[in-house]
Amino acid sequence: MTDPITLLLVDDQELIRFGFRMVLDAEDDLVVIGEAADGHAAIAQATALHPDVVLMDIRMPGLDGIAATEAIVRAHPETRVLVLTTFDLDEYAFGAIRAGASGFLLKDAQRHEMISAIRAVHRGDAALAPRVTRMLLEHVTPQLGTAAAAAPSAVEDPTSELTDRERDVFLEIARGLTNAEIATALFVSESTVKTHVGRVLAKLGARDRIHLVILAHRLGLVPDEELPSGS
């Protein structure tokens, strides 16, 4: 049997943590191994427990979720962070994505949406709707553009090591397609797509699909009209 996904719940409201724990512990493949009420405690718990996924609240007293996310991702790159936010337009949540979080989870999400998001983040997928992906790109592009402009034009294309099929998969990810949609578009099985996604992530040194989308946008490999739409 596959080991369960271990979870750390971070929220300054005890009732929210309690509710999440009840929902998550009911799943055979999910287990809550710790809780924290602020950023400092989250960092300490992540170091002590090494959870697979951290459900991270953003607005907390003391150290907020952005700083905690950055510290956890830097110290424990194998741990994924899923941001808990009240609104999908939350500027703080975008800050957490820039800090290394792997996706958004609205606090009023349905049970199945929460569970699906956790599983997606754990396997390296992004828990972002296409509309949110578009907004994310709009927020991070200025910083990425500055970095790209400062880089020498002769820098080797980081995608040059990809095979033709891996590059196809990379571009479809950048357009916001899921594995199932990529499989349909490229006439291959979903398991084959998963294999290619893993190889693309490894070759490009990306943590997850969010960072692949950002990289494709920064390199200008996908025209703006082909990026995930705002609808």
Side-chain angles (χ1 to χ4, degrees):
M1 180 177 176
T2 305
D3 291 336
I5 301 170
T6 57
L7 306 170
L8 172 62
L9 305 182
V10 183
D11 196 292
D12 63 331
Q13 298 185 47
E14 184 178 0
L15 282 178
I16 289 181
R17 299 198 309 272
F18 178 77
F20 282 175
R21 179 183 280 272
M22 288 187 62
V23 169
L24 299 173
D25 279 345
E27 298 296 316
D28 292 338
D29 63 333
L30 304 177
V31 57
V32 177
I33 60 173
E35 298 183 16
D38 59 53
H40 290 296
I43 295 170
Q45 288 283 65
T47 299
L49 301 174
H50 300 284
D52 295 319
V53 178
V54 177
L55 273 68
M56 179 72 73
D57 189 18
I58 294 298
R59 304 188 186 193
M60 297 181 291
L63 192 70
D64 65 24
I66 297 177
T69 293
E70 184 175 12
I72 291 171
V73 169
R74 182 175 62 249
H76 311 287
E78 73 285 354
T79 296
R80 307 296 184 188
V81 177
L82 185 57
V83 175
L84 299 173
T85 181
T86 305
F87 306 104
D88 58 4
L89 291 174
D90 194 335
E91 294 285 343
Y92 290 91
F94 285 119
I97 293 294
R98 289 193 293 268
S102 296
F104 285 94
L105 180 63
L106 295 181
K107 287 188 176 182
D108 63 354
Q110 297 296 312
R111 176 189 181 120
H112 71 276
E113 293 173 331
M114 177 191 300
I115 294 169
S116 295
I118 291 170
R119 291 171 178 160
V121 166
H122 178 253
R123 65 174 177 261
D125 285 347
L128 284 182
R131 176 172 56 85
V132 179
T133 305
R134 163 67 71 175
M135 291 186 292
L136 171 65
L137 290 173
E138 291 173 351
H139 279 71
V140 301
T141 294
Q143 288 124 329
L144 292 177
T146 300
S153 59
V155 171
E156 182 180 358
D157 180 358
T159 67
S160 61
E161 294 186 6
L162 300 180
T163 66
D164 289 343
R165 178 58 80 188
E166 289 167 353
R167 188 178 179 86
D168 290 340
V169 170
F170 173 48
L171 294 178
E172 297 300 344
I173 291 173
R175 295 182 179 108
L177 272 63
T178 65
N179 284 356
E181 291 168 338
I182 295 173
T184 299
L186 300 182
F187 304 101
V188 296
S189 69
E190 191 170 348
S191 61
T192 297
V193 172
K194 290 181 180 178
T195 298
H196 286 311
V197 170
R199 290 174 179 168
V200 170
L201 289 168
K203 287 184 177 182
L204 298 182
R207 283 178 51 85
D208 49 43
R209 297 166 86 100
I210 291 178
H211 294 86
L212 291 180
V213 172
I214 293 173
L215 177 61
H217 185 74
R218 185 188 70 184
L219 295 174
L221 297 178
V222 179
D224 286 347
E225 61 268 19
E226 294 183 18
L227 288 167
S229 69
S231 59

